[in-house]
């Protein structure tokens, strides 16, 4: 696999905008006083349930780390190293690299908690040492080594972490980042944890059906699969083991191209957002690995930078962008049916339509069995609102009191005054695609309403006109109310009320 050398990146015309963006962001962080992560700010989450106050300041510090490191990798001037060393010192003195939201209040050794962000930080710091080597002062290399050993290496050797058996992005991000940290900084100890790292990644893959679709949403696919692929690439290089030579992994690799409805609109079931970055660097890597089954569906080269300033996606975007694939734009699949996820997608030049069934027991679940949404000219007329603000309540037993996660915020009926219920037992009985434009869904079980015997939905999409027809049929033991619920962000006017006909 050809990897771009950072010295050559300056001369790659397809990365000119990316380089300009890195320089601009670096100047912003260079001239900024780093926010303090105070004890009061750390405990604010426990007092209020609000995460953003602490996390936003945390991400500013990670942004400074990323941008100063990138400037050192690419340009390597003294000024860039001065900034990088200052922020490394700041990060090495943080109370913990983990989030308060990811540990119990009063945790005795918060510095030993390995969550998503502590694992990412350990990876970032050891990769900086790997890439810059002797260009870094010996005392900084030793400081990084001591902090990584204290916060990542020893805790992982000595403890078992719950995320090792998770079947979602946590297992890939934490497992992949911790695995890379061992391989970079403590390769002599990797054999002590190799089996557990592979076990975590196997758990991650078990969360996908054979069709490769991430029901967590594209954002979480990006997050998890970046770290899975990053580790797999390094693991193959250092240990000769190929985790990606697997048909299921190849199907998972195709998830990104299958989740986009238009150039920037994606399927937003569950905790996903409507507009996601298309990660071209990852797509190029996967295309070179798996061939033309990986479609390059966007000709723009993404920055690889998100609001969390994740180190791996930015560095690999520069390293993995293939100048021979830059500018290529291939068609998205016009129609897709994913049997395991129970999703149907139809994309046309002017219209796009998607429907789902499944269960209400998935990761980052919303109670939305039988829901759908519908776009015209890239705009969602019937919508799915996607994720809400992440707070303590959002991930508690009060989750489904929040509007965007409950059935009322989705294009599904309200039966007997009841939303759908949460849990894997609340699911569809059947999901059938007929003739490419008719979807049949049976989903009474998603409600848990005693008097509801059957609930079926027929969705008919006329491709030529773009007309979407929704027919619901309910059979009940006793009289029960059925309220048809449709969701849009646009103003609505009722032109004809069927009750008065």
């Amino acid at each position: 696999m050809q990897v771009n050398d950072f010295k050559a990146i300056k001369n790659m015309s397809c990365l000119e905008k990316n380089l300009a963006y890195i320089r601009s962001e670096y100047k912003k962080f260079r001239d900024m006083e780093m926010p303090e992560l105070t004890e009061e700010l750390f405990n604010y989450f426990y007092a209020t349930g609000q995460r953003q106050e602490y996390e936003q300041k945390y991400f500013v510090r990670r942004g400074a780390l990323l941008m100063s490191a990138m400037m050192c990798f690419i340009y390597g001037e003294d000024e860039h190293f001065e900034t990088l060393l200052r922020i490394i010192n700041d990060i090495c003195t943080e109370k913990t690299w983990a989030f308060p939201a990811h540990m119990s209040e009063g945790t005795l050794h918060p510095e030993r908690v390995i969550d998503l962000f502590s694992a990412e930080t350990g990876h970032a710091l050891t990769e900086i040492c790997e890439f810059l080597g002797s260009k870094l002062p010996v005392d900084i290399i030793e400081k990084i080594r001591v902090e990584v050993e204290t916060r990542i290496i020893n805790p992982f050797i000595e403890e078992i972490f719950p995320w090792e058996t998770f079947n979602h992005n946590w297992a890939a991000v934490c497992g992949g980042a911790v695995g890379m940290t061992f391989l970079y900084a403590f390769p002599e100890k990797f054999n002590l944890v190799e089996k557990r790292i592979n076990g975590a990644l196997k758990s991650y893959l078990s969360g996908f059906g054979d069709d490769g679709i991430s029901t967590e949403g594209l954002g979480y696919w990006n997050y998890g699969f970046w770290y899975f692929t990053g580790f797999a690439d390094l693991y193959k290089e250092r240990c000769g083991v190929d985790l990606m030579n697997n048909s299921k992994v190849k199907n998972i690799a195709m998830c990104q191209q299958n989740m986009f409805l238009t150039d920037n609109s994606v399927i937003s079931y569950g905790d996903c957002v409507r507009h996601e970055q298309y990660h071209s660097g990852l797509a190029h890597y996967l295309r070179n690995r798996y061939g033309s089954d990986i479609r390059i569906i966007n000709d723009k080269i993404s920055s690889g930078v998100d609001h969390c300033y994740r180190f791996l996606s930015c560095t690999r975007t520069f390293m993995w962008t293939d100048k021979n694939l830059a500018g290529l734009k291939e068609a998205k699949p016009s129609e897709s049916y994913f049997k395991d996820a129970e999703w149907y997608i139809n994309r046309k030049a002017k219209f796009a339509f998607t429907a789902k069934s499944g269960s209400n027991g998935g990761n980052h679940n919303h109670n939305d069995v039988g829901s759908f949404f519908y776009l015209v000219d890239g705009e969602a007329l019937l919508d799915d609102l996607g994720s809400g603000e992440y707070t303590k309540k959002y991930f508690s037993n009060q989750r489904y009191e929040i509007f965007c996660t409950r059935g009322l915020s989705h294009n599904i009926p309200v039966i007997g005054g009841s939303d759908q219920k949460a849990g894997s037992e609340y699911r569809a009985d059947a999901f059938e695609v007929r003739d490419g434009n008719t979807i049949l869904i049976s989903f009474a079980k998603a409600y848990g309403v005693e008097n509801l015997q059957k609930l079926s939905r027929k969705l008919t999409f006329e491709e030529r006109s773009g007309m979407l027809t929704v027919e619901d049929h309910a059979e009940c033991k006793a009289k029960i109310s059925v309220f048809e619920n449709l969701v849009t962000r646009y103003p609505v006017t009722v032109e004809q009320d069927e009750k008065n006909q």
Side-chain angles (χ1 to χ4, degrees):
M1 188 74 62
Q2 183 176 355
V3 176
N4 300 322
D5 186 286
F6 278 107
K7 294 178 182 177
I9 283 169
K10 288 181 287 188
N11 300 317
M12 291 178 63
S13 59
C14 61
L15 290 172
E16 284 178 359
K17 290 183 178 179
N18 295 55
L19 290 166
Y21 174 75
I22 294 294
R23 293 193 298 268
S24 174
E25 286 289 286
Y26 167 73
K27 289 178 182 178
K28 180 180 76 174
F29 286 114
R30 179 197 62 191
D31 299 332
M32 182 187 301
E33 184 175 347
M34 286 297 103
E36 292 294 321
L37 298 179
T38 64
E39 192 76 17
E40 180 183 10
L41 197 62
F42 186 86
N43 289 324
Y44 188 78
F45 168 76
Y46 301 116
T48 68
Q50 299 300 311
R51 298 174 52 157
Q52 297 302 316
E53 286 73 13
Y54 181 86
E55 293 177 12
Q56 285 175 353
K57 290 179 172 57
Y58 180 102
F59 291 141
V60 168
R61 296 163 74 94
R62 294 312 182 269
L65 178 69
L66 172 61
M67 294 305 160
S68 57
M70 289 297 293
M71 292 296 286
C72 289
F73 297 160
I74 298 168
Y75 299 104
E77 297 177 8
D78 289 347
E79 172 207 312
H80 308 146
F81 279 91
E82 290 172 10
T83 306
L84 176 63
L85 299 183
R86 185 174 70 248
I87 189 60
I88 287 175
N89 272 310
D90 286 347
I91 287 173
C92 285
T93 60
E94 289 174 357
K95 170 183 176 177
T96 176
W97 292 340
F99 278 1
H102 296 158
M103 69 182 82
S104 300
E105 185 175 7
T107 296
L108 290 178
H109 296 286
E111 77 282 358
R112 289 175 61 93
V113 174
I114 303 178
D115 73 342
L116 299 166
F117 299 100
S118 59
E120 288 181 45
T121 302
H123 161 256
L125 291 174
T126 52
E127 190 158 282
I128 287 169
C129 291
E130 181 76 15
F131 287 180
L132 294 177
S134 60
K135 295 178 182 178
L136 291 174
V138 172
D139 64 318
I140 286 293
I141 293 174
E142 182 59 24
K143 177 174 285 191
I144 289 172
R145 185 176 176 86
V146 168
E147 292 301 324
V148 165
E149 187 171 28
T150 301
R151 299 169 188 256
I152 304 295
I153 302 301
N154 288 343
F156 192 71
I157 290 173
E158 295 164 9
E159 301 174 35
I160 302 296
F161 288 86
W163 50 258
E164 294 180 53
T165 57
F166 289 175
N167 67 346
H168 53 71
N169 68 89
W170 271 72
V173 175
C174 296
V178 169
M180 285 185 281
T181 300
F182 270 89
L183 287 172
Y184 281 140
F186 293 86
E188 72 281 3
K189 295 185 178 182
F190 181 68
N191 67 301
L192 301 176
V193 300
E194 182 175 7
K195 186 175 179 179
R196 286 170 57 200
I197 295 295
N198 281 327
L201 297 180
K202 186 176 180 179
S203 294
Y204 166 67
L205 296 178
S206 73
F208 295 85
D210 289 338
D211 60 18
I213 286 294
S214 170
T215 56
E216 286 191 281
L218 182 60
Y220 285 107
W221 176 89
N222 281 328
Y223 194 14
F225 207 65
W226 264 120
Y227 278 89
F228 176 87
T229 305
F231 172 77
D233 183 70
L234 184 64
Y235 189 38
K236 183 182 178 184
E237 175 192 312
R238 300 288 169 93
C239 302
V241 180
D242 189 356
L243 298 180
M244 303 191 74
N245 185 20
N246 179 295
S247 60
K248 182 175 179 178
V249 174
K250 180 181 177 181
N251 287 340
I252 296 169
M254 293 191 286
C255 185
Q256 179 173 220
Q257 68 202 42
N258 289 321
M259 295 283 276
F260 275 86
L261 295 170
T262 66
D263 282 352
N264 67 349
S265 290
V266 303
I267 295 171
S268 55
Y269 299 135
D271 282 340
C272 188
V273 296
R274 168 51 49 78
H275 302 291
E276 284 280 2
Q277 181 178 171
Y278 176 77
H279 283 277
S280 56
L282 181 55
H284 288 188
Y285 178 92
L286 296 171
R287 171 64 165 257
N288 285 324
R289 178 62 201 262
Y290 292 120
S292 59
D293 286 342
I294 304 296
R295 298 190 188 187
I296 308 301
I297 61 171
N298 196 312
D299 56 358
K300 295 180 175 62
I301 303 300
S302 59
S303 68
V305 178
D306 61 17
H307 72 285
C308 300
Y309 293 98
R310 294 188 173 98
F311 200 84
L312 185 135
S313 59
C314 182
T315 57
R316 297 313 186 273
T317 292
F318 280 86
M319 292 165 65
W320 290 350
T321 293
D322 185 338
K323 62 183 180 182
N324 297 314
L325 295 174
L328 177 65
K329 185 175 182 178
E330 298 171 316
K332 294 180 255 323
S334 62
E335 184 182 12
S336 305
Y337 168 50
F338 299 103
K339 182 179 179 181
D340 297 310
E342 297 183 1
W343 286 11
Y344 172 78
I345 309 160
N346 196 319
R347 307 172 187 83
K348 295 296 176 281
K350 188 176 177 66
F351 308 103
F353 160 66
T354 175
K356 74 179 293 287
S357 58
S359 82
N360 287 332
N363 297 314
H364 289 276
N365 173 69
H366 289 196
N367 290 340
D368 62 353
V369 172
S371 191
F372 66 93
F373 55 101
Y374 170 63
L375 287 76
V376 177
D377 291 330
E379 297 294 327
L381 300 187
L382 295 175
D383 210 345
D384 185 293
L385 302 179
S387 63
E389 181 184 351
Y390 284 10
T391 62
K392 188 175 183 179
K393 180 178 178 179
Y394 198 80
F395 293 101
S396 74
N397 57 10
Q398 298 174 294
R399 177 180 176 85
Y400 298 101
E401 296 175 11
I402 298 168
F403 179 67
C404 69
T405 58
R406 56 185 293 196
L408 192 60
S409 74
H410 297 85
N411 295 307
I412 52 176
V414 177
I415 308 293
S418 296
D419 273 353
Q420 291 185 4
K421 294 181 173 60
S424 57
E425 68 271 31
Y426 298 103
R427 60 172 304 111
D429 299 309
F431 184 78
E432 182 182 353
V433 179
R434 287 186 182 174
D435 303 323
N437 65 349
T438 299
I439 311 299
L440 301 175
I441 307 173
S442 173
F443 59 124
K445 285 184 178 179
Y447 290 82
V449 173
E450 183 179 355
N451 288 327
L452 181 63
Q453 293 177 298
K454 292 183 180 179
L455 179 63
S456 61
R457 165 165 281 184
K458 181 180 179 181
L459 297 153
T460 306
F461 180 55
E462 296 294 338
E463 295 181 359
R464 188 168 295 179
S465 67
M467 180 179 291
L468 176 65
T469 304
V470 184
E471 302 173 59
D472 289 342
H473 176 75
E475 294 183 18
C476 311
K477 292 180 182 178
K479 187 175 181 180
I480 194 170
S481 65
V482 177
F483 173 71
E484 287 294 355
N485 190 58
L486 297 174
V487 178
T488 182
R489 300 175 197 258
Y490 289 93
V492 174
T493 301
V494 178
E495 295 185 354
Q496 189 172 357
D497 188 342
E498 292 291 342
K499 291 188 295 183
N500 295 326
Q501 296 303 304

